[in-house]
Amino acid sequence: MYKVASASKYLVITGVGISDIKIAKKAWVLPGQSYTLFDVSPVNYTFEVQAMSAEKLPFLLPAVFTIGPRIDDQLSLLKYSKLIAPHDKQSNHVKELVQGIIEGETRVLAASMTMEEIFKGSKDFKQEVFEKVQLELNQFGLLIYNANIKQLVDIPGHEYFSYLGQKTQMEAANQTRIDVAEAKMKGEIGSKLREGQTLQNAAKIDAETMIISTQRLGQGSKEEIRVKTEVKIFENEREAEVADANADLAKKKAAWAREAQMVEVDAIKAVALRDAELQKEVESMNALTQIEKLRAEFLSKASVEYETKVQEANSELYNKQKSAEAFLYEKQKESEAQKATAEATLYTRQQAIDGELYAKTKEAEGLKAMAEAQGFYLRTLLDALGGNYAALRDYLMISGGMFQELAKINAQAVQGLQPKVSIWTTGNGSGEGGNNAMKEIAGVYKMLPPLFTTVHEQTGMFPPTWMGTLSDSTHTNMKKS
């Protein structure tokens, strides 16, 4: 009979002439063959997967999977027709199979992620669940047409998501209250800021003047200290490099000396061994000659003497070998002693360098502490004086003896000069006749005599003859001191 399957179904034919099974939409069913129909429309499976995150927090994952056979792949259809098609798609067997795969893969994936990663990266979590479940369903010829993971749900007794929502609400409320408080604070600060800026600008000029003068004095000291520190650090680095070079040279010299001594000992030992061998050969030849000479008369005596000579030669050879070994041992001990001496010298030098570096470090820390103490001292004085920089300046100049030093310097500057000081007057010009122009000319003429007198007394020079001469009458209105 000729059979035709509907749009959502396929024919599965087995029997005569078909080695395994045959899948078709329409076909002739011959005698000796049997057929069955199976539906390929997808089915929705709804689950609530209970899983546990990496922090051991349990949760429910509601999910809906739309699953059906893969119709675009002939091999997948064969698998589905053999393994799943004989069962009803809504049967417990198929549902438990699909649910077991989904729950197993979901639990494994959730166990490798934290609750925060699952909650925030729900899209990535869904994609990974989809891929891992699909990989397992391929062996049954099934395809996930759609997967919808719903909102995560708390398990009774483990209300993580409810507490997380409460936390978010409280954080939003707290942030709102903080924003309101900040707005009020900005308004109050703005009004106070305008009032304080006038006082700050007035004090700023005095403060900057004192700061600049203090900074200039401090910069000179700081620069001097910095240069000295850099020079000392450079010297220490050079000394360390020289010490390292000397240590390397000492090591190389010790190695060369040890190698030379080893070669010398080997040569002496070889010479001693060669002498012993030659001596042995000589003694052997002498013994043979003596034996041949005395064989006829004193055979027994010659044999005894031969054995005696052999023993003596062996004994002498043994003694020479022991002497050579003792000499070699002594040379090795001397090399080891030289190596230990070089290492001790290097260690002593390293300790000295480390001690000097530690001292310089402590000195730098002391300078830093002194600077901090001076800053604290100045801040304390300024606070005690109510922020009056002028009063602070006067106090520091008085306590530092600056006024006494200035007086001393001025006294030394004029010491031994013996200056002459002249004081003269020309009258006030009131009550005299003439107009204003004539008064000005008269004032100039009145100024010339005392000017010439002062120049003469200060420098010893006389005015030119065409300008005038000095006489006793010139001193009429002069007061000298």
Side-chain angles (χ1 to χ4, degrees):
M1 294 184 297
Y2 189 75
K3 297 294 181 180
V4 178
S6 62
S8 61
K9 295 182 179 180
Y10 277 84
L11 288 170
V12 179
I13 305 172
T14 61
V16 178
I18 300 174
S19 59
D20 189 4
I21 60 174
K22 178 182 177 182
I23 298 176
K25 293 291 289 183
K26 54 186 178 180
W28 288 98
V29 180
L30 303 177
Q33 296 179 348
S34 63
Y35 75 97
T36 185
L37 295 170
F38 67 90
D39 192 3
V40 295
S41 58
V43 178
N44 290 331
Y45 297 93
T46 303
F47 309 105
E48 277 193 357
V49 181
Q50 183 173 350
M52 185 175 292
S53 67
E55 305 100 332
K56 306 296 186 297
L57 295 174
F59 62 94
L60 289 176
L61 181 66
V64 178
F65 284 77
T66 303
I67 300 174
R70 188 188 295 273
I71 60 176
D72 57 352
D73 185 13
Q74 189 69 20
L75 181 59
S76 297
L77 279 176
L78 289 173
K79 292 180 181 179
Y80 179 80
S81 63
K82 292 179 180 181
L83 301 175
I84 305 299
H87 304 279
D88 184 9
K89 289 186 291 184
Q90 298 291 347
S91 65
N92 290 333
H93 175 76
V94 178
K95 187 174 182 179
E96 289 175 358
L97 173 66
V98 175
Q99 184 176 0
I101 293 174
I102 294 173
E103 289 182 351
E105 294 300 328
T106 304
R107 289 194 184 100
V108 172
L109 182 59
S112 64
M113 301 175 66
T114 63
M115 188 68 78
E116 194 71 12
E117 292 173 348
I118 297 172
F119 186 76
K120 291 185 177 180
S122 57
K123 183 178 180 181
D124 297 333
F125 180 74
K126 171 185 174 182
Q127 183 64 29
E128 291 194 29
V129 171
F130 184 94
E131 293 175 356
K132 291 183 179 298
V133 172
Q134 181 61 62
L135 186 63
E136 293 296 325
L137 293 178
N138 286 336
Q139 57 186 334
F140 298 101
L142 295 173
L143 174 67
I144 300 176
Y145 286 88
N146 182 39
N148 183 18
I149 297 177
K150 300 181 180 179
Q151 185 66 34
L152 303 179
V153 180
D154 287 322
I155 292 178
H158 301 277
E159 290 77 17
Y160 174 82
F161 297 107
S162 61
Y163 291 151
L164 186 62
Q166 294 176 11
K167 175 186 174 184
T168 304
Q169 292 176 1
M170 292 301 296
E171 287 178 351
N174 292 335
Q175 186 62 40
T176 303
R177 287 196 290 269
I178 290 171
D179 293 339
V180 173
E182 285 182 352
K184 293 181 180 179
M185 180 185 67
K186 288 179 180 179
E188 294 176 357
I189 291 174
S191 63
K192 295 294 183 181
L193 185 62
R194 292 294 181 270
E195 296 175 1
Q197 281 180 347
T198 303
L199 298 176
Q200 291 178 5
N201 291 333
K204 182 178 179 181
I205 297 174
D206 294 335
E208 289 178 351
T209 303
M210 290 300 299
I211 290 171
I212 291 172
S213 61
T214 305
Q215 285 179 347
R216 288 181 178 176
L217 292 175
Q219 284 176 354
S221 300
K222 286 169 60 179
E223 187 66 21
E224 182 180 359
I225 293 171
R226 185 183 65 79
V227 172
K228 289 182 179 179
T229 304
E230 291 179 351
V231 170
K232 194 62 180 177
I233 291 172
F234 180 78
E235 291 176 355
N236 292 337
E237 290 177 351
R238 297 287 80 78
E239 289 179 0
E241 291 176 358
V242 171
D244 292 339
N246 292 334
D248 293 338
L249 180 60
K251 289 181 180 179
K252 291 181 179 179
K253 286 183 177 180
W256 295 337
R258 182 171 63 253
E259 291 177 358
Q261 290 174 358
M262 292 296 294
V263 172
E264 183 179 358
V265 170
D266 291 339
I268 293 173
K269 184 177 179 181
V271 171
L273 292 175
R274 184 57 181 169
D275 290 341
E277 291 176 356
L278 293 175
Q279 185 66 29
K280 181 179 179 181
E281 292 178 359
V282 171
E283 294 296 336
S284 298
M285 294 301 296
N286 290 335
L288 291 174
T289 304
Q290 195 70 18
I291 289 171
E292 291 296 332
K293 182 178 180 181
L294 301 175
R295 184 183 296 276
E297 300 179 2
F298 306 102
L299 181 59
S300 299
K301 182 179 179 180
S303 298
V304 172
E305 290 179 356
Y306 171 74
E307 295 294 333
T308 303
K309 293 294 183 181
V310 169
Q311 293 297 327
E312 290 177 354
N314 291 336
S315 177
E316 185 176 359
L317 176 60
Y318 178 77
N319 291 331
K320 290 183 178 181
Q321 289 177 347
K322 289 298 181 181
S323 298
E325 291 176 356
F327 182 76
L328 176 60
Y329 179 78
E330 183 179 356
K331 292 297 182 181
Q332 289 177 347
K333 289 299 181 182
E334 290 178 359
S335 299
E336 293 176 356
Q338 292 178 357
K339 179 181 179 181
T341 302
E343 291 177 351
T345 303
L346 176 60
Y347 178 77
T348 302
R349 183 60 178 169
Q350 289 177 346
Q351 291 296 319
I353 292 173
D354 293 340
E356 186 175 356
L357 177 60
Y358 178 78
K360 294 302 180 183
T361 303
K362 289 300 180 183
E363 182 179 355
E365 292 176 356
L367 292 175
K368 180 181 178 182
M370 184 181 296
E372 292 176 353
Q374 289 178 354
F376 178 76
Y377 172 69
L378 292 176
R379 287 194 299 272
T380 304
L381 288 177
L382 187 59
D383 293 339
L385 295 173
N388 191 337
Y389 290 97
L392 176 63
R393 177 193 60 199
D394 296 340
Y395 173 78
L396 292 177
M397 293 176 68
I398 292 171
S399 62
M402 183 174 290
F403 292 112
Q404 292 87 336
E405 190 67 22
L406 289 174
K408 183 179 179 181
I409 292 172
N410 291 332
Q412 292 176 354
V414 299
Q415 184 177 3
L417 295 180
Q418 298 179 356
K420 294 181 179 180
V421 180
S422 299
I423 301 174
W424 50 270
T425 61
T426 60
N428 54 11
S430 62
E432 297 181 359
N435 55 20
N436 291 334
M438 295 304 293
K439 288 181 180 180
E440 297 296 332
I441 296 173
V444 173
Y445 276 96
K446 290 179 180 181
M447 181 180 66
L448 290 176
L451 177 62
F452 292 157
T453 302
T454 302
V455 172
H456 174 66
E457 290 179 351
Q458 296 290 338
T459 63
M461 297 175 62
F462 289 96
T465 56
W466 58 269
M467 293 184 66
T469 58
L470 295 176
S471 62
D472 294 337
S473 63
T474 309
H475 305 277
T476 302
N477 294 326
M478 309 299 273
K479 295 179 181 180
K480 301 182 180 179
S481 61

